[in-house]
Amino acid sequence: MNRTPKRDRGIRAFRFWRRDIGAEVDDEIAFHVDARADELVAGGMSRDTARARALAEFGDVDRARRTLRHLDETHARQAARRELFTDLWQDVRVAARSLARAPGFVAVVTLTLALGIGLNSAVYSIVDAFLFRPLAVPYGKELVVLAQTDAALSAPHEMSYPNYLDFRRDTAVFGDLAAYANDNVNLSGAHGAQRIFVQDVTANFFATLGMRPAIGRLFQPGDDDGELAHPYIVLTHAFWMSRFGGDPSAIGDTIRINNHPVTIIGVTPAGFEGTDGLLAADGFTPINQTWPSYGASLRDRGNSGFNVIGRLRPGLSLGAARAAVAAKSAALEREYPASNRDVTMRLVPETRARPNVAISGNVPVIAAAFMSLVLLVLVVASANVASLLLARTTARLREQAIRSALGAGRWRLARHAIIECLLLALAGGAGALVLANIAVRALTKVRVAADVPLRWRIAVDERVMAFTLAIVVATALIAALAPLLATRRTNLTDLLKAGGRGISGGHQRFRTVLVVAQLSVCVTVVVCAALFARSAVNASRIDPGFRTDHILIATTQLGTQGYDSVLGAQFEREIERRVATLPGVRSVSLARYTPFGYNNDIEFVLPEAPAAQIPDNGVGAFNNIVTPSYFATMRIPIVEGRGFEERDDASAPKVAMITRAMAKRIWPGQSAVGKRFRVTKDGPVMEIVGVTADIQYFSLGETPKPFLFRPYSQWYRSSFTLVVHTSVDPASLSAAVRGAVASLDPTLPLFDVRSFDEHIRSGRAMLGTRIGAAFSEVFGGLALLLAAVGLYGLLSYAVAQRTREIGIRVALGAHTGTVLRLVVRQGLIMSATGAAIGLAITFGVTRLLTALLFGVAPHDPVILGGVVAILLTVGVVASMLPALRAARVDPVTALRAE
Amino acid sequence: MADADLDLLQGTLDVMILKSLSWGPMHGFGIAKWIRQTTDGVLQIEDSALYPALHRLAHRGLVDADWALTENNRRAKYYTLTTKGRQQLRSRVQAWEKYSAAVAQVVRATTAPA
């Protein structure tokens, strides 16, 4: 009866339990009772009496039995668990040690997985922001959006205020229901003038969301009563920080909104940016309380301009609420047939109403498409990793066979493989989070060329991490599965005898196809990336028909600030004069519209006497309203007649200028100067005084279309863009131009201040090209890397499998060069096949991109040739490592395996 | 019975069990018999309380348990003191002696509190 070593006790306890703890306990108690009875019998007692006495002395047998069983079972379970963890920990250590011996392999696998998983994490973080993550407010999860569909617009959109009020009163459906409208306003005060984005909200807005103020107070019932009676503003935390430096004494201060006094009453908690899906609010004002008021539109049941958000009455299901909303819609339609005909309200959970309830229906589809695409990339990455693992497993088959022969169970070997994959996938997952973070940070920096504060509530947070972990585990299992299945099919004993041959060839063929497919896709994506890159370079060389260098643009709106047409016109004349005197300014003009901007207008030209056939409703043309110096400032040549002059004022006959394209369209073969036309049937007649050269206006590289200019002096507009031709870097003059505007009116904010080059680069003109370039560059790089890893894994496997054959060749006198060529040739054949298939696909795909390309043909031979060269280089590089390994095969070692 | 009393009793029982095994391996019945005889029946320990104590000691690694045959050729579960159990016995006996000496001094005291 030797003491057993500590470790074995656990194992014995494990078996013990399996062998039925109950029987052991019963035996032990039975022995005790029998022994005591024997003792009593020996003392002269009868057997029956002795047995009864022994039982009585023992006490409560049943209870003791239960206690002992419970004790032993608990202990056995704990011991079994402890043993499992000890074994797992040992496996982890073994796996980590064996991975540490192959740092190159680990690096390639980790990088591949990091890219594959990182892409998924990044895309998921976007999907999460748009589809799943509730608003960062206490009632975020319960919020619903109420929206209207009608005959004019079948997509759900904003409601009218009276309709909103009727639904809000229906407390059987809604616990609380708030309305808001988005608004851009001019803010001025101690810190200068600025255009900001506010939400005009009902007084119950914050209560509906369940919010409390960070400081000060939020709106309370009554704050939206009457008209212009409660001029308050609540600031978002971010805006309070940026404009007031987080100064608590700003609460109670009066600022000016659209040049009318408004009191700051509070600040919302950090992280809240309003309820719009895309734009970050700077503040909140009670509806109809800041200038200009909503006036009659709040009482107009046909005026649908209000977003409605709320919470359902507690306990009410979405389905029941929808039925109630439908019934209420029908009742309103009966009651107000004039305004509510065909008007139906729809109830949508807030997370399904992003970024805007009108287009949110497509978001899940787009999200699913993107997720599928990136999951596909991950599957390819996993397949490549599986391929690498298979190569590694094959190289170690003998080791495995020996371990198996020494008694390591199939499960133990499998567990080893899975743990190895899990470790690799975890490393990949960690790398993925780093990459996703970089990607998301890059994404959140994307700016649209307009001074709208874009809100990207995108972050790699704990939700994304949980998603990443799930992907990591799934990837590890997928990647571990392939090598496992391969070894399962192989009889390890036979393998030991055969010395390492005998993996079936079917997998090999499938993986060859997979790698060639990757190489083909690679060609297509990389060609696209190259085309976009060339386009971006070419776009800056396109001549749009006017000067884009040394031009500064800056926009403002006089209307909201309270200017009428007389004061406005005065202001416009004066600002042009003042900016012209600034040092570094060559010339300055005003224009209503900016080429390649988001704000455009089309007029239909109705000539008095057309020379060509034109449609009844006239010739549609983009147009601009400009001051006389516009053509000199923008360097647009006047090819016939004259430009606008001072004498073309409000009292003079109306004049216009057109481009050559317009002249050719309406008066081909004639001089357009002196011709007369209208833009509305009963509008004033205008006389053409000059013809300019053609310009590109809507999209860069377009064929010039008919275009019309009219003078500011005859067509007052309360919005204008200053166009400044500078002799210095235009961006360096933005402060001086702001100063000139402030010297005239310190309450007037200037926005969209940027150089024209910047306007083109980051604006609508290049948006498609830039997005295309960004995507194809990222995916192109990724595709190249994945294809390289795939090729490398496949060839490594092939070399591992052919070690004996190579050994024999070397033994028979093959040179190192011969062996190298053997492997590299295989890589090159696959690369060439991939390139050929890829080129065929490319011809089909790139034709679709023509609209986004500038000055480069979709089948540009230099680009195609270059990409093929890159692919072949990748093929050689990826083959080189396995080839060198093959060349280093020692024939003695390889053949001793026999 | 309050928890403190139970702990004291439990601890006392553990010490007695460990002590009984200090002469060599023994089955549960033997341990019970030894305690009864040694204390002249003063300590009435129910057999049904002895076994849980024994199993707990086994789970704590203070004793080993294994099935073996008795002199009468019957299968019985024998308990053996482990190294850890021996150390535990030594320290518990020292503590017990200190404790009982202190209590004895108090109950035999002849001077009144100052």
Side-chain angles (χ1 to χ4, degrees), chain A residues 103-114:
Chain A
F105 166 81
V106 171
V108 170
V109 169
T110 306
L111 186 66
T112 308
L113 289 178

Side-chain angles (χ1 to χ4, degrees), chain A residues 820-844:
Chain A
L820 277 177
R821 265 201 301 282
L822 194 71
V823 180
V824 173
R825 197 181 58 203
Q826 206 181 344
L828 269 179
I829 288 173
M830 283 165 73
S831 305
T833 315
I837 299 172
L839 282 182
I841 302 172
T842 306
F843 281 122

Side-chain angles (χ1 to χ4, degrees), chain A residues 33-328:
Chain A
V33 173
D34 286 352
R36 176 65 179 149
D38 285 351
E39 202 177 51
L40 293 169
V41 168
M45 204 177 276
S46 80
R47 166 95 10 216
D48 288 348
T49 327
R51 202 175 155 67
R53 171 90 178 272
L55 273 173
E57 275 179 11
F58 191 86
D60 190 340
V61 174
D62 275 344
R63 195 158 156 249
R65 187 183 285 143
R66 277 201 306 276
T67 311
L68 291 179
R69 273 189 195 193
H70 175 72
L71 277 176
D72 288 0
E73 279 167 8
T74 309
H75 179 252
R77 267 198 303 274
Q78 283 167 354
R81 206 175 306 147
R82 211 163 32 235
E83 189 194 8
L84 185 67
F85 277 114
T86 314
D87 283 6
L88 273 180
W89 177 235
Q90 203 192 6
D91 281 357
V92 169
R93 274 176 20 206
V94 168
R97 266 206 302 273
S98 100
L99 286 177
R101 280 195 297 271
F105 166 81
V106 171
V108 170
V109 169
T110 306
L111 186 66
T112 308
L113 289 178
L115 286 169
I117 298 171
L119 190 64
N120 276 269
S121 300
V123 170
Y124 179 77
S125 67
I126 300 170
V127 170
D128 187 51
F130 275 104
L131 272 182
F132 301 119
R133 194 185 321 167
L135 273 183
V137 296
Y139 293 136
K141 284 183 183 142
E142 301 166 42
L143 294 174
V144 290
V145 164
L146 189 64
Q148 160 173 338
T149 66
D150 51 41
L153 189 54
S154 63
H157 57 277
E158 297 90 338
M159 294 169 58
S160 74
Y161 202 71
N163 280 341
Y164 151 69
L165 287 178
D166 281 330
F167 274 94
R168 176 176 165 179
R169 277 182 212 113
D170 194 348
T171 50
V173 181
F174 295 104
D176 221 339
L177 197 64
Y180 65 91
N182 295 332
D183 200 4
N184 279 308
V185 297
N186 294 341
L187 166 69
S188 52
H191 301 75
Q194 187 178 359
R195 195 166 75 136
I196 63 170
F197 173 64
V198 297
Q199 296 193 304
D200 296 335
V201 304
T202 49
N204 67 340
F205 178 76
F206 292 113
T208 302
L209 304 181
M211 291 181 68
R212 307 186 60 77
I215 56 169
R217 72 169 178 92
L218 304 179
F219 300 133
Q220 59 197 27
D223 277 353
D224 57 358
D225 283 353
E227 189 172 297
L228 307 179
H230 304 94
Y232 303 144
I233 186 167
V234 166
L235 307 177
T236 62
H237 191 271
F239 184 66
W240 177 55
M241 292 303 288
S242 70
R243 167 101 186 181
F244 299 97
D247 179 6
S249 70
I251 311 303
D253 276 5
T254 298
I255 53 174
R256 295 182 88 79
I257 297 280
N258 294 337
N259 214 12
H260 286 69
V262 170
T263 308
I264 302 172
I265 61 167
V267 175
T268 57
F272 181 69
E273 300 180 297
T275 47
D276 190 83
L278 282 179
L279 304 178
D282 297 309
F284 307 87
T285 52
I287 218 156
N288 207 24
Q289 305 300 317
T290 54
W291 197 89
S293 74
Y294 281 80
S297 66
L298 280 191
R299 296 181 293 279
D300 181 359
R301 207 169 274 278
N303 183 342
S304 53
F306 296 89
N307 302 283
V308 177
I309 191 168
R311 271 178 295 123
L312 297 183
R313 190 169 58 85
L316 190 67
S317 75
L318 190 64
R322 279 184 169 148
V325 164
K328 179 95 185 168

